[in-house]
Amino acid sequence: MKMDRIEKETLSRFLPGGVLNGFFMALGAMQDIIAKKALDAADWQITLLAMVWPVSNFFSIWWGRLLESSNNKSRYMWVVGFGGRLVLLGALWISNFYHLLFILTMVYSFNALYIPIQNSILQRNFRPKNRGRVFGYISSIATLLALITTVIGGRLLDTNEHFFRHVLASIGVLGFIGTAVISRIRINQQETQEKSSGIAVKTIIMAPLVRTWNLLNRNRDFALFQFSFFVYGLGFIMVVPVIPRFLVIDLGMTYTTAFLAKGVVSQLGLLFLSPLAGKIHDSRDPMLFTCIGFILISMYPLSLVVADIAPTITASIVMVFVSYLIYGIAMSAVNVSWNISSIYFAGDEDASMYQSVHITLTGVRGLLAPFLGYIVMELIGIRAVFILASCFHLTGALINWRMYRKHRKAVTIIPSEG
């Protein structure tokens, strides 16, 4: 990549800070297995745990509104660092499932600030031709750290599962260092002239909601793109509470085996393909790019159906690994789109609020999808959850395909000069 002075200076901090976030990324692969095995969580408790990340994201529009009126967005990384990283030190005193649930709720609520700040840095400090590639390279290296962390964590917990407290605390400290590094980036932006409207409760609560409604109503393309992600996300999240029971109870996987599938094989696509996915995203319509990603991810739950009907436990476990390999390949595209496609729809506007709306809608579907997955699992079975999830993914792909075709027609129509 050819980079100018601002891009090089930004990358010198953005790269190490983003890479250190890889330690935090390992948390998602570990938390439900830890809850199921070490804390003996029931299926309905795993469903609650699956809701923590998306529901906590609901607060993102308030964070986004705060960032939108700030002249120094990167300083809020300190908020992420203390509230969304160092709070994991509390894991040293976890003695039951509810302690873990409380700590993760705190972590993910403050972590909802991370991606909007990241998007502001990418939007303001990097040119369009470099954004996807920068994000891809950082994601790839961060994924490598997440992979290593997951492998070491799995081995430690198979030796003594009580070590999970120290693993989580270590992730918190290393993640905090990463946010501290990013907080030193100066975002290249014009100073906002917006005045604070006071601290009235009505203003604090209602202003971001009104801003979100106006944004979605005004930018219909962005609203429809968000609807496609909403539909896809129903399928993605409804599988989450089912996986621990499938891997731990039905297949009897150890920490090492489960972490290897969920946290290592599932990350191989992100590790090796993220730079390529970022480069393709920079040169393609995000709707077509996302459509392809959704089609690929639909194969992941379908392959889990094959794992469920396999004739032996060994064959099932092998198929689980194949499923997570497919998942990783698909997520190399979906991850790029999820994180930075909002910049395309924002245009010259502040992308932090657009991404905050995107993340908040993750919280809305997070209220529905885990319970949907749990209910379908209890009433019909695990296979039905996987099949329904794949249908949601394909529906999201269809919405993006129709958007892409509509935009292509609009571009190729040349108005007559009458």
Coordinates of all heavy atoms in Angstrom, one line a residue, residues 122-164:
L122 N -10.6 4.9 10.7 CA -10.5 4.4 9.3 C -11.1 5.4 8.3 O -10.5 5.6 7.3 CB -11.3 3.1 9.2 CG -10.6 1.8 9.8 CD1 -11.5 0.7 9.8 CD2 -9.3 1.4 9.0
Q123 N -12.2 6.0 8.7 CA -12.8 7.0 7.8 C -12.0 8.3 7.6 O -11.8 8.8 6.5 CB -14.2 7.4 8.3 CG -15.0 8.3 7.4 CD -16.2 8.9 8.1 OE1 -16.3 9.0 9.3 NE2 -17.2 9.2 7.3
R124 N -11.5 8.8 8.7 CA -10.9 10.1 8.7 C -9.4 10.1 8.5 O -8.8 11.0 8.0 CB -11.1 10.8 10.1 CG -12.6 11.0 10.4 CD -13.3 11.9 9.3 NE -14.7 12.1 9.6 CZ -15.5 12.7 8.8 NH1 -15.1 13.2 7.7 NH2 -16.8 12.9 9.2
N125 N -8.7 9.0 8.8 CA -7.2 8.9 8.7 C -6.7 8.1 7.6 O -5.5 8.0 7.4 CB -6.6 8.5 10.0 CG -6.7 9.5 11.1 OD1 -7.7 10.3 11.1 ND2 -5.8 9.5 12.0
F126 N -7.6 7.3 6.9 CA -7.2 6.5 5.8 C -8.1 6.8 4.5 O -9.3 7.0 4.7 CB -7.3 5.0 6.1 CG -6.3 4.6 7.2 CD1 -6.7 4.5 8.5 CD2 -5.0 4.2 6.9 CE1 -5.8 4.2 9.5 CE2 -4.1 3.8 7.9 CZ -4.5 3.8 9.2
R127 N -7.4 6.8 3.4 CA -8.2 7.0 2.2 C -9.0 5.7 1.8 O -8.6 4.6 2.2 CB -7.2 7.3 1.0 CG -6.6 8.7 1.1 CD -5.4 8.9 0.2 NE -4.3 8.0 0.6 CZ -3.2 7.9 -0.2 NH1 -3.0 8.6 -1.3 NH2 -2.2 7.1 0.3
P128 N -10.1 5.9 1.0 CA -10.9 4.7 0.7 C -10.2 3.5 0.2 O -10.5 2.4 0.5 CB -11.9 5.3 -0.3 CG -12.0 6.7 0.1 CD -10.6 7.1 0.5
K129 N -9.2 3.7 -0.7 CA -8.5 2.6 -1.3 C -7.6 1.8 -0.3 O -7.2 0.7 -0.6 CB -7.5 3.1 -2.4 CG -6.4 4.0 -1.9 CD -5.5 4.4 -3.1 CE -4.3 5.2 -2.6 NZ -3.4 5.6 -3.8
N130 N -7.4 2.4 0.9 CA -6.6 1.7 1.9 C -7.3 1.1 3.1 O -6.8 0.3 3.9 CB -5.5 2.6 2.4 CG -4.4 2.9 1.4 OD1 -4.2 2.0 0.5 ND2 -3.7 4.0 1.5
R131 N -8.6 1.6 3.3 CA -9.3 1.3 4.5 C -9.5 -0.2 4.7 O -9.2 -0.8 5.8 CB -10.7 1.9 4.5 CG -10.7 3.4 4.7 CD -12.0 4.0 4.5 NE -12.0 5.5 4.5 CZ -12.9 6.2 3.9 NH1 -13.9 5.6 3.3 NH2 -12.8 7.5 3.9
G132 N -10.0 -0.9 3.7 CA -10.3 -2.3 3.9 C -9.0 -3.1 4.1 O -9.0 -4.1 4.8
R133 N -8.0 -2.8 3.4 CA -6.7 -3.5 3.5 C -6.1 -3.3 4.8 O -5.6 -4.3 5.5 CB -5.8 -3.1 2.4 CG -6.0 -3.8 1.1 CD -5.1 -3.3 -0.1 NE -5.6 -2.1 -0.6 CZ -5.1 -1.5 -1.7 NH1 -4.1 -2.1 -2.3 NH2 -5.6 -0.4 -2.2
V134 N -6.1 -2.1 5.4 CA -5.6 -1.8 6.7 C -6.4 -2.7 7.7 O -5.8 -3.3 8.6 CB -5.7 -0.3 7.1 CG1 -5.4 -0.1 8.6 CG2 -4.7 0.5 6.2
F135 N -7.7 -2.6 7.6 CA -8.5 -3.4 8.6 C -8.2 -4.9 8.4 O -8.2 -5.6 9.4 CB -10.0 -3.1 8.3 CG -10.9 -3.9 9.2 CD1 -11.1 -3.6 10.5 CD2 -11.5 -5.1 8.7 CE1 -12.0 -4.3 11.3 CE2 -12.4 -5.8 9.5 CZ -12.6 -5.5 10.8
G136 N -8.1 -5.3 7.2 CA -7.8 -6.8 6.9 C -6.5 -7.2 7.5 O -6.5 -8.3 8.1
Y137 N -5.5 -6.5 7.3 CA -4.2 -6.9 7.9 C -4.2 -6.9 9.4 O -3.7 -7.8 10.1 CB -3.1 -5.9 7.4 CG -2.6 -6.2 6.0 CD1 -2.8 -5.2 5.0 CD2 -2.1 -7.4 5.6 CE1 -2.4 -5.5 3.7 CE2 -1.7 -7.7 4.3 CZ -1.8 -6.7 3.4 OH -1.4 -7.0 2.1
I138 N -4.8 -5.9 10.0 CA -4.9 -5.8 11.5 C -5.7 -7.0 12.0 O -5.4 -7.7 13.0 CB -5.5 -4.5 12.0 CG1 -4.5 -3.4 11.7 CG2 -5.8 -4.5 13.4 CD1 -5.1 -2.0 12.0
S139 N -6.9 -7.3 11.3 CA -7.7 -8.4 11.7 C -7.0 -9.7 11.6 O -7.1 -10.6 12.5 CB -9.0 -8.5 10.8 OG -9.8 -7.4 11.0
S140 N -6.2 -9.9 10.6 CA -5.4 -11.1 10.4 C -4.4 -11.4 11.5 O -4.4 -12.5 12.0 CB -4.7 -11.1 9.0 OG -4.1 -12.3 8.7
I141 N -3.6 -10.3 11.8 CA -2.6 -10.5 12.9 C -3.3 -10.7 14.2 O -2.9 -11.5 15.1 CB -1.7 -9.3 12.9 CG1 -1.0 -9.2 11.5 CG2 -0.6 -9.5 13.9 CD1 -0.2 -7.9 11.4
A142 N -4.4 -9.9 14.5 CA -5.1 -10.0 15.7 C -5.7 -11.4 15.9 O -5.7 -12.0 17.0 CB -6.2 -9.0 15.8
T143 N -6.2 -12.0 14.8 CA -6.7 -13.3 14.8 C -5.7 -14.3 15.2 O -6.0 -15.3 15.9 CB -7.3 -13.7 13.4 OG1 -8.4 -12.7 13.1 CG2 -7.9 -15.1 13.4
L144 N -4.4 -14.1 14.7 CA -3.4 -15.0 15.1 C -3.1 -15.1 16.6 O -3.0 -16.1 17.2 CB -2.1 -14.6 14.3 CG -0.8 -15.5 14.7 CD1 -1.0 -16.9 14.3 CD2 0.4 -14.9 13.9
L145 N -3.2 -13.9 17.2 CA -3.0 -13.8 18.6 C -4.2 -14.5 19.3 O -4.1 -15.2 20.3 CB -2.9 -12.4 19.1 CG -1.5 -11.7 19.0 CD1 -1.6 -10.3 19.6 CD2 -0.5 -12.5 19.7
A146 N -5.4 -14.3 18.8 CA -6.6 -14.9 19.4 C -6.5 -16.4 19.3 O -6.9 -17.1 20.2 CB -7.9 -14.4 18.7
L147 N -6.0 -16.9 18.2 CA -5.8 -18.3 18.0 C -4.9 -18.9 19.0 O -5.1 -19.9 19.6 CB -5.4 -18.5 16.5 CG -5.2 -19.9 16.0 CD1 -5.4 -19.9 14.5 CD2 -3.8 -20.5 16.3
I148 N -3.7 -18.2 19.1 CA -2.7 -18.7 20.1 C -3.3 -18.7 21.5 O -3.1 -19.6 22.3 CB -1.4 -17.9 20.0 CG1 -0.8 -18.1 18.6 CG2 -0.4 -18.2 21.1 CD1 0.4 -17.1 18.3
T149 N -4.0 -17.6 21.8 CA -4.5 -17.5 23.2 C -5.5 -18.6 23.5 O -5.6 -19.2 24.6 CB -5.2 -16.1 23.3 OG1 -4.3 -15.1 23.1 CG2 -5.8 -16.0 24.7
T150 N -6.4 -18.9 22.5 CA -7.4 -20.0 22.6 C -6.7 -21.3 22.8 O -7.2 -22.1 23.7 CB -8.3 -20.0 21.4 OG1 -8.9 -18.7 21.2 CG2 -9.4 -21.0 21.6
V151 N -5.7 -21.6 22.0 CA -5.0 -22.9 22.2 C -4.4 -23.1 23.6 O -4.6 -24.1 24.3 CB -3.9 -23.1 21.1 CG1 -3.0 -24.3 21.4 CG2 -4.5 -23.2 19.7
I152 N -3.7 -22.0 24.0 CA -3.0 -22.1 25.3 C -4.1 -22.2 26.4 O -4.0 -22.9 27.4 CB -2.1 -20.8 25.5 CG1 -1.0 -20.8 24.6 CG2 -1.7 -20.7 27.0 CD1 -0.1 -19.6 24.6
G153 N -5.2 -21.4 26.3 CA -6.3 -21.5 27.2 C -6.9 -22.8 27.3 O -7.2 -23.3 28.4
G154 N -7.1 -23.5 26.2 CA -7.7 -24.8 26.2 C -6.8 -25.8 26.9 O -7.3 -26.7 27.7
R155 N -5.5 -25.8 26.7 CA -4.6 -26.7 27.3 C -4.5 -26.4 28.8 O -4.5 -27.4 29.6 CB -3.2 -26.5 26.7 CG -3.0 -26.9 25.2 CD -3.4 -28.3 25.0 NE -2.4 -29.2 25.6 CZ -2.5 -30.5 25.7 NH1 -3.6 -31.1 25.2 NH2 -1.5 -31.3 26.3
L156 N -4.5 -25.2 29.2 CA -4.5 -24.8 30.6 C -5.7 -25.4 31.3 O -5.6 -25.9 32.4 CB -4.3 -23.3 30.8 CG -3.0 -22.7 30.6 CD1 -3.1 -21.2 30.7 CD2 -2.0 -23.2 31.7
L157 N -6.9 -25.2 30.7 CA -8.1 -25.6 31.4 C -8.3 -27.1 31.4 O -9.0 -27.6 32.3 CB -9.3 -24.9 30.7 CG -9.7 -23.5 31.3 CD1 -8.6 -22.5 31.2 CD2 -11.0 -23.0 30.6
D158 N -7.7 -27.8 30.4 CA -7.8 -29.3 30.5 C -6.8 -29.8 31.6 O -7.1 -30.8 32.2 CB -7.4 -29.9 29.2 CG -8.5 -30.0 28.2 OD1 -9.7 -30.2 28.7 OD2 -8.3 -29.9 27.0
T159 N -5.8 -29.0 32.0 CA -4.9 -29.3 33.1 C -5.7 -29.0 34.4 O -5.7 -29.9 35.3 CB -3.6 -28.5 33.0 OG1 -3.0 -28.8 31.8 CG2 -2.7 -28.9 34.2
N160 N -6.3 -27.8 34.5 CA -7.0 -27.4 35.7 C -8.0 -26.4 35.3 O -7.7 -25.3 35.0 CB -6.1 -26.9 36.7 CG -6.8 -26.5 38.0 OD1 -8.0 -26.4 38.1 ND2 -6.0 -26.4 39.1
E161 N -9.3 -26.8 35.2 CA -10.3 -25.9 34.7 C -10.5 -24.6 35.5 O -11.1 -23.6 35.1 CB -11.6 -26.6 34.5 CG -12.4 -27.0 35.7 CD -13.7 -27.7 35.4 OE1 -14.0 -27.9 34.2 OE2 -14.4 -28.0 36.3
H162 N -10.0 -24.6 36.7 CA -10.1 -23.4 37.6 C -9.2 -22.3 37.1 O -9.3 -21.1 37.5 CB -9.8 -23.8 39.0 CG -10.8 -24.7 39.6 ND1 -12.1 -24.4 39.8 CD2 -10.6 -26.0 40.1 CE1 -12.7 -25.4 40.4 NE2 -11.9 -26.4 40.5
F163 N -8.2 -22.6 36.2 CA -7.4 -21.6 35.6 C -8.1 -20.6 34.7 O -7.5 -19.6 34.3 CB -6.2 -22.3 34.8 CG -5.1 -22.9 35.6 CD1 -4.4 -23.9 35.1 CD2 -4.9 -22.4 36.9 CE1 -3.3 -24.5 35.9 CE2 -3.9 -23.0 37.7 CZ -3.1 -24.0 37.1
F164 N -9.4 -20.9 34.5 CA -10.1 -20.0 33.6 C -10.2 -18.6 34.1 O -10.2 -17.6 33.4 CB -11.6 -20.5 33.3 CG -12.6 -20.2 34.4 CD1 -13.2 -19.0 34.5 CD2 -12.8 -21.2 35.4 CE1 -14.1 -18.8 35.5 CE2 -13.8 -21.0 36.4 CZ -14.4 -19.8 36.5

